Every structure is written in structure tokens, then in C-alpha cells.
Amino acid sequence: MSAIIQTIDTPDGPFTILADDQQRVLASGWTSDQAVIVARLSVAVQPAEVSESETEAAAAVRAFYGGDLSASDGVAVKQIGTPLQLAGWSALREIEPGEPLTYTSFAARLGNPRAVRAAASICARNAPALFVPCHRVLRTDGTLGGFAWGLDVKASLLAREAGVR
């Protein structure tokens, strides 16, 4: 499989998008280090070759930062995982901007409110950040919890989505 990669500037720093030949986002995040983005995928599904090119998803990121908080919702992603992971990643896409859930609430949406660790693991293994908005899940006490791209970025995204700039 071959893929394309693009880094754009955002108010939260450089954002890199890795997409397949059908423009589906495979991985993304707030870094200019392309190797870090590729490494978000398991070795078995990493592309054999990656070339720099314009991604269709970049327009959605720019629109998101321009104020269209749902711009990334329609961007196609490609994720490979267990049935629970796939269900979790799909459920993450249903969380509305400005209405974050706790890990407990997210686990409940997946059918088991006690499966908080599984819910956290689904978020941690989410490769196409922003397009699958794992940043919208908080610790049970309402604090930020972890985020692969740093708590500053998570706080900024949540503030932007809550209408606070």
C-alpha cells in the first residue's frame, strides 16, 4: 500500500495527515515528524511507501480551525482493529463538539459502563486524531486525562469546541 502525507500549520502547531490512495485518513496528529504519524499504525498496516502530497482532509482541518467544528466529521478514515475498537472509534465520531463525555459515559455508550479501561484504550489507540475525536473523552472526574498530542492541545481543542477562544 502507498500513502500520501501532508503537514499544515494550525493554531495548535503543525498537523500532519497520512492518507491512503483513496484519501482516507489513516493517521494524523499535531507534529511535523512524519515518522511519528506513520508509527501510530501497527507495523502490519504501515504503508510500504509514503510521498508528500496534498490531502483532501487538509481542507477539513483548515475549516475546523476556521470555526466549522463539524468539518472533520465527514472525512473518510480507515482504521483496522478489533470489533470493540471499531465500534468505539465509530462511537467517538458521534460525540458532538462541545459535549465531551467521561470515560465511564463512553464505556456506557459501548454497552458496558464498567469497561472504563477498554474505553481509555480505544482512545489511546486512535490513529486519525481530530477526525475521530478522542480528545472529547475526559477522565471520570472531568479532568483532561491523557492525550497523545499533549494536554495543551487537548485543552485548546475542547475550549475551541466549547466556544471559548
Side-chain angles (χ1 to χ4, degrees), residues 50 52 97 129 145:
V50 177
E52 289 195 39

Side-chain angles (χ1 to χ4, degrees), residues 120-159:
S121 176
I122 287 165
C123 292
R125 296 179 193 280
N126 176 48
L130 187 63
F131 305 103
V132 178
C134 57
H135 66 273
R136 294 182 187 153
V137 183
L138 307 172
R139 285 185 176 154
T140 302
D141 66 4
T143 58
L144 294 181
F147 188 57
W149 309 109
L151 295 184
D152 289 349
V153 172
K154 185 170 184 170
S156 174
L157 293 169
L158 291 170

Side-chain angles (χ1 to χ4, degrees), residues 64 68-74 88-102 105-106 109 130-138 157-163:
F64 173 85
D68 181 357
L69 300 177
S70 61
S72 61
D73 293 354
W89 294 327
S90 178
L92 285 171
R93 295 195 92 179
E94 295 171 8
I95 302 171
E96 294 294 325
E99 297 178 20
L101 297 178
T102 64
S105 300
F106 180 54
R109 278 199 183 183
L130 187 63
F131 305 103
V132 178
C134 57
H135 66 273
R136 294 182 187 153
V137 183
L138 307 172
L157 293 169
L158 291 170
R160 178 176 300 281
E161 292 177 348

Side-chain angles (χ1 to χ4, degrees), residues 5-57:
I5 200 161
Q6 178 183 16
T7 301
I8 62 173
D9 290 325
T10 75
D12 292 319
F15 186 80
T16 300
I17 303 161
L18 178 69
D20 69 7
D21 56 3
Q22 296 175 44
Q23 290 285 340
R24 296 175 297 188
V25 176
L26 303 171
S28 54
W30 288 266
T31 180
S32 59
D33 187 338
Q34 296 179 351
V36 168
I37 297 300
V38 173
R40 295 288 295 167
L41 302 174
S42 70
V43 174
V45 298
Q46 287 180 4
E49 54 183 69
V50 177
S51 59
E52 289 195 39
S53 185
E54 183 80 17
T55 63
E56 292 174 4

